[in-house]
Amino acid sequence: MSDQPQRGSGEPSEEPRQQDSSGTAHIPQETGDTPPAGAFEQSAVQQSASQQGPQQPGAQQPGAQQQGPQQPGQSSDAAYGYPDQQPGGYAATQQQPGPYSGYEQQGIGGTTGGQYPHMGPPHQHHGWYQQPMGTVPVQQNRAGKRNGLVATALVGALAIGLIGGGVGGFVGYQLGSSGSESQATSLEQQPPARSASAAPEGSVQGVAQKVLPSVVQLQMQSAQGSGEGSGIVLSQDGYILTNAHVAEGASQGKLTAMFHDNRSASVRVVGSDPRSDLAVVKADITGLTPAELGRSDDLPVGSPVVAIGSPFGLSGTVTSGIVSAKDRPVRAGGQSGDQETVLNALQTDAAINPGNSGGPLVDMDGRVVGINSAIYSPGSGQEQGGSVGLGFAIPVDQAQRIAKELKDTGSATQTTLGVSIMSAPQGGAVVHEVVPNGPAQQAGLQNGELITKFDGRFIEDADTLVATVRAHQPGQKVQVTLAGANGGGERTVDVVLAGQKG
């Protein structure tokens, strides 16, 4: 602090002094607050005390805060607890450590420990602070006339303030009253106009609008209970593609199709192939919207897809995700655990749940790329677990060929290599038995040989080989890589795959 007199610091100010009959000057305090009751009585007591001479050591002036004489160069800011403060100021007030006192908290815009940066002494409106009146130097050469002018100005200012405050309060009251009566809440607002814009091309909304009319809910009723599944409309006259494990209930009870336009019809099974988990059923109805089929061979991993079906009986449910993986060997449908039902599946994280079986997995052009068939769920026993982001669909390239055969002949032809196999501990599939006159025997495969690669794909185990063979068509020529039964060298042979009726 400088040596120049500071306002409110106990030094002389430029304000006019008022003198009483005893010659003691009173200094108006600039605090911005109204002095508390008894402040003028305190001044009178302090004046009498100053006239009585020096106070005895240890005595305290009534109504005033006890202070010692200010040292040269000492700032009156010490009373507020800044760096040159004596004990008892703001900084001297410390809180007791709490249960989290081990942490150093960063002050708001300040330093660690919750300390704020120095911004000058606090304003006096934090509390009244009175200097002992006897310590203030007094100048008695001011004219009394000026005191009268100041008093007159103060009275005028007070009158103007009272008038202005009354007018402002009246206007504010009127504005507040009128606003509270006319202001409407959100509940009274009119709803916006209906959106007339079409769904964005390639959006989930657009896909749903296109595909939903082609998706069917299948309900099964039998003496053993009831169940639900989904299906895909193949024709206007009621042909529907679904899973074999959905259609198998029709042989024991009644199977009903619920369509998107709220019509319903009984259905019959045209053909079913449990090994591919596909079936075609027929409803006696017309005027349906067939689904558009796409292709799955060039579908990249990571591409967005949409799943539609009736999970847990909730028809018309739309979920979205991506293709998480391709060529995933999965044992699907009700024949779980049987190697005959292994699928070369698409994996997706779109939510698929019980009841989605037989429904479509479509790309963002609304074309079917897979038929939802299975999910991985941590549920055990007879529990029906929900989606954990691991759903599997039969690729449409395989499903389209089999569905056509089922519709036309009632049965399907499965692609076969002509061997029985088992998984090898070191990876690959061991040839356990070669079927006489089959494709493998004609190509020269022998018992005990290890199949390590099929048509360029590495074979991890027996299920991988089955799924890979099923993904091909009968009559297709492929290369098979073999390792010798006793650790011999590798060899590659050409095999023409055959078809086998189910």
Side-chain angles (χ1 to χ4, degrees):
M1 300 291 290
S2 66
D3 293 334
Q4 297 297 324
Q6 301 292 322
R7 297 192 122 192
S9 64
E11 300 295 337
S13 68
E14 295 302 324
E15 296 295 331
R17 270 62 169 178
Q18 296 181 5
Q19 296 181 354
D20 57 11
S21 58
S22 60
T24 304
H26 297 275
I27 303 175
Q29 299 288 328
E30 276 192 351
T31 62
D33 293 325
T34 303
F40 296 110
E41 286 79 1
Q42 277 187 345
S43 298
V45 174
Q46 290 171 349
Q47 289 177 4
S48 64
S50 64
Q51 293 174 358
Q52 292 175 1
Q55 199 169 10
Q56 296 299 321
Q60 184 176 4
Q61 289 185 320
Q65 187 172 351
Q66 183 70 26
Q67 283 190 336
Q70 190 171 358
Q71 298 297 326
Q74 181 184 13
S75 168
S76 61
D77 290 345
Y80 291 96
Y82 285 90
D84 54 350
Q85 160 187 345
Q86 296 297 323
Y90 279 82
T93 304
Q94 299 180 356
Q95 297 182 353
Q96 295 297 323
Y100 301 97
S101 59
Y103 294 91
E104 279 195 354
Q105 297 181 348
Q106 182 72 25
I108 302 175
T111 58
T112 57
Q115 301 292 331
Y116 291 89
H118 180 73
M119 295 180 292
H123 295 294
Q124 287 194 356
H125 61 256
H126 289 289
W128 282 87
Y129 179 74
Q130 296 178 334
Q131 289 282 351
M133 301 303 291
T135 63
V136 181
V138 177
Q139 296 180 358
Q140 301 184 4
N141 56 355
R142 298 292 185 182
K145 182 176 181 180
R146 184 176 179 182
N147 295 338
L149 293 176
V150 171
T152 303
L154 289 175
V155 171
L158 288 175
I160 294 173
L162 289 174
I163 295 173
V167 173
F170 175 77
V171 173
Y173 172 79
Q174 293 297 324
L175 291 176
S177 300
S178 60
S180 62
E181 294 175 0
S182 62
Q183 185 177 5
T185 67
S186 299
L187 300 176
E188 283 77 31
Q189 293 177 359
Q190 293 297 321
R194 291 183 179 273
S195 176
S197 61
E201 184 178 355
S203 65
V204 175
Q205 179 186 355
V207 170
Q209 290 179 358
K210 176 181 178 180
V211 181
L212 276 171
S214 304
V215 181
V216 179
Q217 180 185 23
L218 296 174
Q219 298 177 344
M220 188 271 294
Q221 294 287 341
S222 69
Q224 287 73 31
S226 62
E228 298 89 14
S230 303
I232 304 168
V233 176
L234 296 177
S235 66
Q236 292 183 351
D237 58 351
Y239 281 99
I240 300 169
L241 175 63
T242 186
N243 285 141
H245 71 269
V246 174
E248 67 182 0
S251 60
Q252 305 173 357
K254 180 181 179 181
L255 195 62
T256 303
M258 306 293 295
F259 298 93
H260 184 67
D261 57 5
N262 293 324
R263 293 186 293 169
S264 64
S266 297
V267 300
R268 58 182 175 85
V269 178
V270 175
S272 180
D273 182 31
R275 289 180 298 179
S276 63
D277 195 26
L278 291 170
V280 173
V281 298
K282 176 71 166 64
D284 296 327
I285 197 171
T286 59
L288 302 179
T289 303
E292 181 182 358
L293 303 184
R295 59 186 301 170
S296 53
D297 58 346
D298 62 349
L299 188 67
V301 174
S303 57
V305 288
V306 175
I308 303 178
S310 304
F312 299 104
L314 302 174
S315 63
T317 297
V318 178
T319 58
S320 63
I322 62 169
V323 175
S324 304
K326 296 177 64 176
D327 301 326
R328 187 73 77 191
V330 176
R331 299 189 179 194
Q335 305 290 335
S336 179
D338 188 352
Q339 195 178 75
E340 290 295 316
T341 65
V342 176
L343 308 174
N344 192 50
L346 300 172
Q347 180 182 328
T348 179
D349 65 349
I352 298 175
N353 291 285
N356 273 109
S357 293
L361 185 72
V362 300
D363 60 18
M364 301 313 291
D365 292 321
R367 297 175 297 200
V368 179
V369 296
I371 290 80
N372 300 322
S373 179
I375 62 172
Y376 171 79
S377 179
S380 60
Q382 299 298 319
E383 294 181 1
Q384 280 194 331
S387 172
V388 293
L390 296 173
F392 304 97
I394 304 167
V396 71
D397 294 346
Q398 179 182 350
Q400 185 174 5
R401 177 182 66 83
I402 294 176
K404 188 177 187 305
E405 288 190 39
L406 291 174
K407 176 182 176 294
D408 295 340
T409 67
S411 62
T413 301
Q414 290 292 336
T415 307
T416 179
L417 179 61
V419 293
S420 62
I421 55 177
M422 62 181 63
S423 297
Q426 69 272 27
V430 177
V431 177
H432 178 66
E433 182 181 354
V434 178
V435 177
N437 301 320
Q441 187 184 54
Q442 295 176 4
L445 272 69
Q446 301 177 3
N447 292 345
E449 285 191 301
L450 181 67
I451 300 176
T452 59
K453 190 181 293 186
F454 184 93
D455 197 24
R457 177 178 175 181
F458 287 98
I459 303 303
E460 299 176 358
D461 52 24
D463 282 3
T464 304
L465 180 60
V466 172
T468 305
V469 172
R470 294 274 175 83
H472 290 73
Q473 296 185 16
Q476 188 173 349
K477 186 178 180 178
V478 297
Q479 285 189 335
V480 179
T481 302
L482 304 164
N486 299 318
E490 288 188 349
R491 68 187 182 100
T492 301
V493 298
D494 292 333
V495 179
V496 178
L497 303 175
Q500 181 181 1
K501 277 287 186 179

